Amino acid sequence: MDYIGKSVIRQEAWDKVSGKAKYTADDSSPGILHAKLVVSPYAHARIKSIKTEKASHVFGVRAVLAGERFPLTGEEIRDRPPLATERVRYHGEAVALVVADTPHLAKKAADLIEIEYEPLPVVNNPTEALKKDAPLVHEQLGTYQKEERVYPVPGTNIANQTKIRKGNMEKGWAESEVTVEEYFSFSPSDHAAMETRCSMCEIRSNGDVVITSSSQAPFMIKRLIHEYFEVDIGKVIVETPFVGGGYGGKASIQLELLAYLACKAAGGRKVKLLNSREEDILTSPVHIGLDARVRLGSTEEGEIKAAELLFLFDGGAYSDKAADLSKAAAADCTGPYDIDNVWCNSLCMYTNHPYAAPFRGFSHSELLFAIERTMDSLAEKLGMDRLLLRYKNAIKPGDTTPTQVPLNKSNVGNLPACIRRLKEIIDWDEGVAKDIGNNKIRAKGVSCIWKTSTIESDAGSGVILTFNPDGSINLMSGIIEIGTGTKTVLAQILAERMKMEISQIHVQMEVNTQSTPEHWKTVASRGTFLAGRAVLEAAEDVIRQLKNIASCVLRAKASDLTVAFGKVFLRDDPSIGIDVKDIAYGYTFPNGNAIGGQIIGRGHYNLRHLTHMNKETGAGKPGPEWSVGAQAVEVEFDKRDLTYRIIRAVSVVDIGTVLNEMAAKGQVMGAMSMGLSFGSRETFKFDEFGRVMNSQLRTYRPIRYSEHPDYVVDFVVTPQVDAAYGARGAGEHGILGMPAALGNALSIAAGVKLNELPLTPELIWRVKKKEGFSDAFI
Amino acid sequence: MLSFDFDYYQPKSIEEAVQLYHALDREEKHPLYYSGGTEIITLGRLDLVYTNAVIDIKAIPECEVLGTQEGYFVTGSGLTLTAIEENNGFPLLSKAASGVADHTARNKITVGGNICGQIFYREAVLPFLLTDSKIVAAGMNGVRTEHIMSLFNKTLRLKKGELLVQLQTEKRYLNVPYRCVKKRPQWDTGYPLVTIAAIKAEEGIRVAFSGVSPFPFRSREMEKALNENGRIKERILASLQHLPKPVLDDVEGSSEYRLFVLKNTLFDILRELEEDHR
Amino acid sequence: MTAERSLSAVLNVNDEERAVHLKPTDTLLFVLREKLGLSGAKPGCLNGDCGACTVNIDGLAMKSCLMLAVESLNKKITTIEGLKGTPIQQAFVEHFAFQCGYCTPGFIMNCHAMLNTVPDANDDTIAEWLNSNICRCTGYQEIEGAVRSIVKKNQMNRKRP
Ligand SMILES: Cc1cc2nc3c(=O)[nH]c(=O)nc-3n(C[C@H](O)[C@H](O)[C@H](O)COP(=O)(O)OP(=O)(O)OC[C@H]3O[C@@H](n4cnc5c(N)ncnc54)[C@H](O)[C@@H]3O)c2cc1C
Ligand code: FES
Ligand code: FES
């Protein structure tokens, strides 16, 4: 049995190509009621009145919710009413909700709700939000309940601030012979998972609250429903079938709360709340925006001595996970470089924009855009090769991170090796830019990446294994199958450890918080790490049990036995043994005596030794390990009309041992695609009133088939000793350096500094025009 | 999900369709001709279209004609854009049609719907404007035929209840040199930033535009300027004086940038068409 | 000519006659999912933009959110549930051409129609067709691999006498 590294086809593959895989909204059992939201057309307004009479009288309407104050919600700061009452703070915010027999009737009634607004001045970006005279998004900020380690500043629009103070800045600047300073800016954008979010809720007569949701965090839903609405935690049951893409956007808890309230108002009947695409873009949480300032100082030889960073994250109208995102950015603020003197202020700003959810990479592709573009500026100013500058400063074992964590061979990947490999793949020595005639230039941009997962310090994962009478095993884990193939990888780990056929392992795909052991959240590329360890522990548990029973049957010491190939046998004489299937349900001796019973194994893994970041200096251990990589993008740029194509995108990442080659490459490529799409074309277009003008896939356009470049993915393998078979996470890394590498390539090609996103031809034109590019069209 | 209800009718003849329209209108059903229906369904969902009766025109034989008849290339209004592309009897039309939406959507979107719809790009109208094709429209007083240039001003000015049946294009235009270029904000998919269609007719170059203004247009003044003697660049600049103002400024692009793209694209088209001639 | 608000109709879906009660305003997507229990076609935008709802109508790829169910009377409707172990499904599995799987039925139905119409589609044709669908998970390269593998097989089969 040799499953590690094999491209095992995902367990649910045939269900997914035959339309049988079930997603939340696929449940259309009769009797389900349908909820419809009424959302705000304003980004900031006072709600003067809400009239619901007409809606209530529509045939088939079972409940109308509006104007009622429910407990405030929010993961870090409780600043968000499930339905807005006095004020709306972003365009698309949910204000009212109708429950009716059919979607048609619900929509009809929702259209009849009359809401009168009085518009208020809007905060339209995080830089504006910081100004002294900016309107306040939350006047009551000081009164909100909050977690211990968030630091809002009442009387301002600052929802959280994280400080990094490492080394001595004066010394750093004094040692710097060359400095560069750059400003960056991009607006919020969207996850745009193909499945729009959907939640269903039913309250059973015994009081059980049963929620089905397209979520990355069913166990968090359970906890929050309990905390917000005071339902006994054991009475909240959350089910999650397949999820049609999450990318972080389905780790936030929002629709579930509304589905619960709607269900309660409708007497506990099952209610379905399915986002339209427009609501999924506007109302549900989005991908965070950022304004940033970066200053780097280095010696003439290119040794970076000082980094000063200011991040103003556009957290939107509510802090939810944005507070945490801004903290994660601070923790890795320098990018993967060894810098002794670091000053960073990372602020999560309230604005009148849709609020932020985690997004693949958890604020790292964002901060890396700022850092890696500045690295290119520094290289230019130094007249130094861009990769060499990065190589010289690359983070290594023995260095410390911005939060002063000492690194060793296991907790950081091998960045220099990634850079060397990248250099070969992209033929770096041929030069960064080449004129290929016909007004066209080919240019290469590079970016280094790193990331740790700033997750809760007690995050954990559990696994249960049960045997079937034929000796096959059922594997239950709280990981959500959002497309990462993690559950197949778990089966590979189990098959490898048990030395059995993978076809004999049945993975339960759906999660039910009542019967599936808890997995913290399916985010942050932590699935394989946490659940993988739990699988190994559960495997040990069943092996021990199998040996115990077999030792009775075979009259041998358990320690002399081995489990493999569906058998338990004597290590020194494999001919003496017994089939697992004969003991998986216990064993019955020929005389009728029986011992044992169905074998049930359990395993659990908790992160350890993580510590909180210090409020004043940021010192602390925010994550278990740092994975690293180096990426490149090659573009073909038209000097005349300023358009371009992406020709090739390359990733060399150190994800430790590769457990499933094709699946891992798929993860990296998919993330690269998302990063390029974000970098090149995705953004919300806000008007001056803070409204999102492109809330459809017609106008918010992710990359499509013919637009994809050639992808090259390669791995450097530095096993992480802590992880199951040494695997690091792989779900996010592909995205991290893509916007930066694209920005670097285009800045070289166009000969101007492109420090905004998305990198559209119009942006290039705008920047070039400022630098005197004339409209000459010949 | 629509929040209103409608009845669905599928008449078999023009007369039946037109009469139905007026009967339903009298009943205040706000009837709509239903061709591909893509706009009625999708804008209806957003409450931007309202109707209580749709009259599907796809069973009317005249609306499904495609091919040459008596010196004209006839395009039935109910034909889907992919049907037109595949037939390719009018290459410029095929080209313009193939830029609209995406391949699957074009299996449903019809040329009549594209021309009569609210979504203001209406890219499929450009070839008909350039060739001053005839519009065959049916109303209570029977069928009339008019040149499109006299009937199209931002939108096709049909009378209430009139049905666009066909477009007839003189055969001599089918094989003239042409260009149709759709420039998008980024790469291959999405609405146009600008779409320019042009032909080289006997008297000179004709051009029509979509995406420059919130309506498609062909401008005789612009054509006049473009066909003067002089350097292409100067002719283009002169022609821009006659652009309908203001140039569109929206999520697809600012008006200034649109002008930049417009000029570049026009430049290429003119150069190519003029070289074609030599 | 029909003029009822709600009608009983028979739809030909996946070679079965299915009786169904529908309203003229119901889209085909709605009827397939909510009334016929065929949830393979997915809602992604209800606006014709994403392609997740793609089915085949008389062999043409069609976005079922852009079509009224009444328009599909007397037509042959094929949904993903009607494809059983076709080469393109096999190719998607082998090429890891999906992750979350949400876009997959739509992509496969579009590919299926294309491979029936243009079995030896060249890269431009493939691009033109497949630009009708969005996949947010993969980098499209895997989908490209899957489709090309079938086209290649078709070309080889054709060359063989
Ligand atoms: C995914 C998508 C992408 C799109 N992208 C583009 C694009 O890039 N460029 C572009 O130009 N457009 C684009 N559109 C708009 C699209 O072209 C229109 O929605 C479409 O043209 C409508 O055609 P239809 O046949 O579906 O019209 P319908 O919905 O049937 O009708 C539209 C309107 O025209 C009226 N009408 C239809 N036929 C007639 C007739 N024969 N006589 C009188 N009135 C009639 C109807 O009553 C209705 O008011 C896109 C649409 C979609 C769905
Ligand atoms: S749901 Fe039909 S195209 Fe998106
Ligand atoms: S596989 Fe998830 S959208 Fe394509």
Side-chain angles (χ1 to χ4, degrees):
Chain A
M1 278 346 109
D2 194 4
Y3 287 110
I4 296 307
K6 290 283 145 55
S7 297
V8 172
I9 282 171
R10 54 172 73 236
Q11 295 242 333
E12 77 285 12
W14 277 97
D15 276 348
K16 285 186 174 171
V17 295
S18 59
K20 294 212 173 88
K22 291 282 181 237
Y23 300 79
T24 301
D26 290 345
D27 179 359
S28 58
S29 38
I32 294 185
L33 299 176
H34 297 265
K36 176 77 195 161
L37 298 176
V38 181
V39 305
S40 166
Y42 294 98
H44 200 188
R46 203 168 68 76
I47 299 175
K48 291 174 75 180
S49 68
I50 307 182
K51 292 202 187 106
T52 59
E53 293 79 48
K54 282 188 200 153
S56 312
H57 291 133
V58 171
F59 175 84
V61 167
R62 304 299 160 199
V64 179
L65 286 181
E68 196 177 330
R69 283 199 199 189
F70 297 109
L72 290 174
T73 66
E75 287 202 31
E76 307 282 324
I77 303 171
R78 299 239 184 133
D79 56 10
R80 187 180 90 243
L83 287 175
T85 49
E86 284 96 52
R87 261 218 238 182
V88 287
R89 296 186 173 86
Y90 70 94
H91 176 209
E93 180 166 5
V95 182
L97 177 153
V98 178
V99 182
D101 290 351
T102 67
H104 173 79
L105 294 170
K107 167 97 166 64
K108 199 172 203 166
D111 285 351
L112 293 172
I113 291 185
E114 296 158 273
I115 306 170
E116 211 186 325
Y117 297 95
E118 181 187 301
L120 297 169
V122 300
V123 180
N124 217 354
N125 64 56
T127 301
E128 251 175 50
L130 193 59
K131 290 196 178 133
K132 286 246 145 37
D133 54 349
L136 289 184
V137 179
H138 289 271
E139 279 152 0
Q140 315 296 324
L141 184 53
T143 68
Y144 296 144
Q145 207 181 316
K146 68 172 193 71
E147 295 290 306
E148 212 180 312
R149 286 176 190 82
V150 242
Y151 309 107
V153 184
T156 74
N157 286 315
I158 300 171
N160 192 18
Q161 55 176 339
T162 310
K163 297 180 196 165
I164 300 289
R165 304 288 183 267
K166 178 187 170 190
N168 177 339
M169 292 312 290
E170 270 175 39
K171 182 163 166 278
W173 293 127
E175 289 168 1
S176 299
E177 291 153 310
V178 177
T179 60
V180 285
E181 181 174 56
E182 300 287 348
Y183 291 80
F184 301 90
S185 175
F186 49 88
S187 293
S189 52
D190 201 44
H191 304 80
M194 283 301 98
E195 176 200 35
T196 58
R197 296 160 177 95
C198 180
S199 297
M200 288 190 291
C201 182
E202 181 178 12
I203 303 174
R204 295 196 182 132
S205 37
N206 66 358
D208 282 357
V209 175
V210 185
I211 293 176
T212 309
S213 192
S214 54
S215 170
Q216 292 172 259
F219 293 94
M220 187 55 85
I221 298 173
K222 176 170 153 177
R223 198 189 307 172
L224 293 183
I225 293 276
H226 156 70
E227 283 178 14
Y228 297 152
F229 305 115
E230 291 168 3
V231 183
D232 291 347
I233 193 150
K235 287 203 159 294
V236 187
I237 303 167
V238 183
E239 299 170 337
T240 298
F242 284 115
V243 173
Y247 326 108
K250 289 173 182 164
S252 298
I253 316 298
Q254 181 199 35
L255 285 199
E256 295 84 357
L257 310 177
L258 293 170
Y260 167 74
L261 293 172
C263 169
K264 206 168 152 207
R269 283 180 63 186
K270 192 168 183 175
V271 173
K272 183 184 203 172
L273 177 55
L274 168 64
N275 266 355
S276 67
R277 175 56 62 185
E278 291 80 0
E279 288 157 350
D280 211 57
I281 288 179
L282 291 177
T283 306
S284 285
V286 303
H287 173 195
I288 205 159
L290 174 68
D291 285 357
R293 192 193 71 213
V294 180
R295 278 181 77 197
L296 292 179
S298 91
T299 64
E300 268 168 9
E301 284 71 45
E303 197 183 327
I304 303 175
K305 290 292 180 187
E308 185 190 296
L309 309 106
L310 175 66
F311 296 148
L312 300 179
F313 280 98
D314 188 344
Y318 299 102
S319 61
D320 211 46
K321 289 306 288 178
D324 217 15
L325 283 157
S326 64
K327 182 171 83 183
D332 286 345
C333 61
T334 53
Y337 303 110
D338 173 32
I339 306 175
D340 287 340
N341 309 300
V342 182
W343 183 101
C344 170
N345 270 2
S346 181
L347 308 186
C348 176
M349 302 304 301
Y350 282 120
T351 65
N352 291 117
H353 287 169
Y355 68 98
F359 179 77
R360 210 169 190 172
F362 212 76
S363 69
H364 283 61
S365 64
E366 298 79 353
L367 82 90
L368 285 168
F369 177 67
I371 280 290
E372 288 292 314
R373 283 283 307 116
T374 313
M375 286 297 279
D376 258 33
S377 292
L378 180 60
E380 262 171 51
K381 199 154 177 186
L382 290 165
M384 190 174 206
D385 180 277
R386 293 154 209 264
L387 266 183
L388 182 63
L389 175 66
R390 290 173 166 91
Y391 193 80
K392 269 196 164 172
N393 293 284
I395 196 104
K396 285 181 285 295
D399 299 340
T400 59
T401 72
T403 66
Q404 303 173 40
V405 179
L407 296 173
N408 58 45
K409 263 191 185 150
S410 175
N411 68 4
V412 65
N414 190 341
L415 181 57
C418 292
I419 297 177
R420 285 194 300 268
R421 184 77 192 101
L422 182 80
K423 198 164 167 244
E424 280 165 31
I425 297 178
I426 60 172
D427 302 314
W428 181 251
D429 293 333
E430 284 184 358
V432 290
K434 188 162 81 187
D435 201 312
I436 56 168
N438 221 356
N439 283 314
K440 298 243 165 59
I441 287 190
R442 282 225 180 179
K444 293 169 200 163
V446 292
S447 167
C448 288
I449 59 172
W450 79 336
K451 177 171 188 292
T452 189
S453 300
T454 46
I455 57 186
E456 269 135 77
S457 48
D458 57 352
S461 184
V463 160
I464 293 175
L465 302 176
T466 63
F467 271 87
N468 296 307
D470 62 355
S472 65
I473 303 181
N474 303 313
L475 192 166
M476 268 83 71
S477 149
I479 293 236
I480 305 299
E481 187 40 74
I482 45 172
T484 50
T486 311
K487 288 203 153 167
T488 303
V489 168
L490 295 184
Q492 284 177 261
I493 292 174
L494 183 61
E496 179 82 15
R497 181 64 194 91
M498 300 294 297
K499 300 199 181 61
M500 64 191 285
E501 292 288 338
I502 200 164
S503 61
Q504 294 293 95
I505 292 168
H506 309 286
V507 183
Q508 180 188 294
M509 285 295 161
E510 54 288 348
V511 166
N512 177 315
T513 59
Q514 202 172 31
S515 56
T516 320
E518 178 149 347
H519 175 79
W520 172 64
K521 282 181 189 177
T522 306
V523 296
S525 311
R526 302 292 4 130
T528 317
F529 181 74
L530 295 172
R533 283 291 298 259
V535 166
L536 286 182
E537 192 178 297
E540 295 309 328
D541 189 21
V542 298
I543 288 171
R544 188 183 47 76
Q545 296 181 47
L546 286 169
K547 284 182 181 173
N548 280 345
I549 299 187
S551 85
C552 292
V553 180
L554 300 174
R555 302 203 176 97
K557 277 172 71 179
S559 55
D560 290 342
L561 298 173
T562 288
V563 178
F565 317 114
K567 280 186 182 319
V568 188
F569 52 85
L570 272 179
R571 193 172 315 133
D572 54 359
D573 183 0
S575 70
I576 301 177
I578 186 165
D579 286 350
V580 166
K581 71 172 165 25
D582 294 331
I583 54 173
Y585 262 55
Y587 182 76
T588 309
F589 287 95
N591 70 0
N593 289 357
I595 52 167
Q598 184 189 17
I599 291 178
I600 300 174
R602 64 189 176 88
H604 192 267
Y605 185 74
N606 246 33
L607 286 177
R608 55 181 162 72
H609 302 326
L610 298 190
T611 55
H612 299 295
M613 286 161 61
N614 179 289
K615 187 181 177 199
E616 298 307 326
T617 66
K621 187 179 178 199
E625 49 106 12
W626 278 258
S627 36
V628 295
Q631 299 184 305
V633 168
E634 187 172 359
V635 297
E636 187 172 304
F637 177 75
D638 187 319
K639 282 189 283 186
R640 199 191 60 143
D641 67 10
L642 313 181
T643 62
Y644 66 95
R645 303 286 302 191
I646 305 175
I647 306 298
R648 192 160 65 138
V650 185
S651 288
V652 180
V653 282
D654 186 347
I655 58 167
T657 312
V658 179
L659 296 180
N660 183 322
E661 169 108 18
M662 292 257 276
K665 284 198 165 157
Q667 282 300 301
V668 177
M669 265 194 275
M672 289 165 79
S673 173
M674 192 167 249
L676 289 176
S677 194
F678 160 47
S680 64
R681 60 192 311 170
E682 292 184 35
T683 184
F684 287 150
K685 305 267 172 98
F686 292 99
D687 70 3
E688 60 183 300
F689 308 109
R691 295 175 303 189
V692 178
M693 303 311 284
N694 54 338
S695 61
Q696 296 191 323
L697 296 176
R698 187 88 52 88
T699 40
Y700 184 97
R701 290 186 286 259
I703 194 166
R704 295 209 186 210
Y705 179 90
S706 70
E707 297 161 341
H708 83 77
D710 259 346
Y711 288 106
V712 181
V713 177
D714 203 7
F715 300 114
V716 162
V717 178
T718 310
Q720 186 194 356
V721 271
D722 239 6
Y725 298 106
R728 299 171 198 273
E732 302 172 289
H733 299 89
I735 199 172
L736 303 180
M738 280 294 115
L742 180 65
N744 286 339
L746 287 168
S747 298
I748 292 166
V752 287
K753 284 183 180 165
L754 299 168
N755 290 353
E756 290 170 52
L757 293 174
L759 295 149
T760 56
E762 175 160 6
L763 171 74
I764 302 173
W765 167 81
R766 192 152 40 78
V767 175
K768 281 198 72 94
K769 227 180 113 200
K770 269 194 217 131
E771 313 241 319
F773 172 78
S774 85
D775 264 2
F777 43 92
I778 29 171
Chain B
M1 194 44 54
L2 302 176
S3 63
F4 50 86
D5 283 304
F6 57 64
D7 294 327
Y8 174 83
Y9 300 85
Q10 197 177 43
K12 297 265 168 6
S13 71
I14 295 176
E15 298 71 39
E16 201 186 332
V18 172
Q19 270 159 19
L20 252 174
Y21 185 98
H22 287 275
L24 290 164
D25 186 46
R26 277 193 300 276
E27 293 172 40
E28 295 186 4
K29 297 271 195 185
H30 313 282
L32 284 180
Y33 292 120
Y34 181 99
S35 194
T38 64
E39 199 169 292
I40 296 176
I41 294 174
T42 57
L43 295 187
R45 189 175 63 82
L46 303 172
D47 300 325
L48 297 173
V49 162
Y50 181 87
T51 174
N52 293 123
V54 300
I55 305 168
D56 191 335
I57 64 165
K58 292 191 293 292
I60 301 172
E62 289 86 343
C63 295
E64 299 297 306
V65 174
L66 183 63
T68 35
Q69 281 176 5
E70 295 160 20
Y72 286 93
F73 185 80
V74 183
T75 308
S77 63
L79 288 163
T80 65
L81 298 183
T82 45
I84 289 168
E85 285 167 63
E86 278 157 28
N87 165 282
N88 205 23
F90 184 3
L92 170 58
L93 177 59
S94 301
K95 184 86 202 322
S98 72
V100 174
D102 59 62
H103 184 268
T104 307
R106 292 196 301 275
N107 280 335
K108 195 75 185 4
I109 294 174
T110 65
V111 63
N114 182 270
I115 293 174
C116 299
Q118 289 187 38
I119 296 173
F120 59 62
Y121 300 104
R122 304 181 196 107
E123 291 176 82
V125 83
L126 304 181
F128 299 113
L129 294 177
L130 291 178
T131 55
D132 198 9
S133 296
K134 287 185 188 161
I135 293 286
V136 179
M140 279 306 262
N141 308 324
V143 173
R144 62 173 172 141
T145 304
E146 310 259 2
H147 280 280
I148 191 166
M149 284 303 283
S150 62
L151 216 56
F152 193 93
N153 180 1
K154 299 182 179 176
T155 61
L156 188 61
R157 303 295 164 119
L158 294 177
K159 299 202 183 89
K160 187 175 162 72
E162 253 186 336
L163 171 70
L164 170 63
V165 180
Q166 295 174 342
L167 298 115
Q168 303 178 338
T169 310
E170 281 179 68
K171 268 175 77 178
R172 63 186 169 110
Y173 286 120
L174 299 183
N175 294 313
V176 293
Y178 71 89
R179 287 292 180 278
C180 182
V181 180
K182 177 166 180 171
K183 288 280 170 75
R184 302 175 171 89
Q186 184 72 292
W187 302 325
D188 311 335
T189 51
Y191 282 144
L193 205 46
V194 300
T195 297
I196 308 181
I199 60 170
K200 179 132 185 72
E202 300 96 79
E203 81 288 355
I205 284 167
R206 303 180 184 176
V207 281
F209 304 84
S210 164
V212 179
S213 306
F215 47 83
F217 65 91
R218 172 184 165 197
S219 159
R220 292 230 153 92
E221 293 80 11
M222 287 182 73
E223 285 171 7
K224 188 158 173 289
L226 291 171
N227 284 308
E228 297 285 339
N229 290 326
R231 293 182 50 210
I232 294 187
K233 189 173 162 177
E234 269 107 53
R235 285 184 274 146
I236 290 178
L237 289 178
S239 76
L240 296 183
Q241 305 301 314
H242 305 286
L243 268 185
K245 297 276 156 48
V247 169
L248 207 53
D249 190 357
D250 64 9
V251 296
E252 303 296 335
S254 65
S255 46
E256 255 196 299
Y257 179 63
R258 270 194 163 87
L259 273 172
F260 169 68
V261 176
L262 175 73
K263 284 187 285 189
N264 277 321
T265 312
L266 202 49
F267 182 82
D268 290 344
I269 289 179
L270 284 184
R271 207 179 42 185
E272 287 173 21
L273 280 181
E274 290 177 358
E275 270 171 16
D276 253 18
H277 181 64
R278 274 185 232 130
Chain C
M1 194 205 303
T2 45
E4 305 99 309
R5 274 200 188 263
S6 180
L7 54 146
S8 321
V10 174
L11 297 183
N12 181 323
V13 190
N14 301 329
D15 289 325
E16 288 175 358
E17 305 278 316
R18 300 280 307 264
V20 61
H21 221 62
L22 47 81
K23 291 195 306 168
T25 42
D26 290 341
T27 60
L28 179 58
L29 176 66
F30 179 79
V31 170
L32 289 173
R33 290 177 56 83
E34 304 294 323
K35 307 217 165 154
L36 297 175
L38 296 170
S39 58
K42 299 284 182 244
C45 66
L46 306 186
N47 204 46
D49 299 323
C50 75
C53 66
T54 305
V55 299
N56 286 182
I57 303 290
D58 286 343
L60 285 182
M62 194 62 76
K63 294 181 172 177
S64 62
C65 71
L66 288 183
M67 183 171 209
L68 298 176
V70 286
E71 289 181 90
S72 68
L73 299 178
N74 305 318
K75 296 202 153 88
K76 222 169 113 69
I77 305 162
T78 312
T79 71
I80 187 73
E81 289 89 346
L83 300 198
K84 303 258 156 66
T86 57
I88 187 67
Q89 286 168 295
Q90 182 80 38
F92 264 63
V93 169
E94 283 167 8
H95 288 259
F96 284 59
F98 54 88
Q99 292 175 19
C100 79
Y102 199 81
C103 70
T104 314
F107 257 105
I108 291 184
M109 292 315 294
N110 191 15
C111 292
H112 182 72
M114 180 184 77
L115 292 164
N116 283 333
T117 321
V118 238
D120 56 351
N122 61 22
D123 288 353
D124 286 347
T125 308
I126 298 175
E128 182 179 5
W129 282 65
L130 295 199
N131 271 355
S132 307
N133 300 59
I134 301 174
C135 176
R136 193 63 165 158
C137 293
T138 73
Y140 295 106
Q141 196 155 290
E142 306 91 321
I143 297 176
E144 182 176 6
V147 176
R148 280 195 183 163
S149 75
I150 306 289
V151 167
K152 212 164 161 191
K153 269 188 208 146
N154 291 344
Q155 286 167 343
M156 301 227 291
N157 287 344
R158 230 183 30 158
K159 272 186 205 135
R160 252 180 240 134

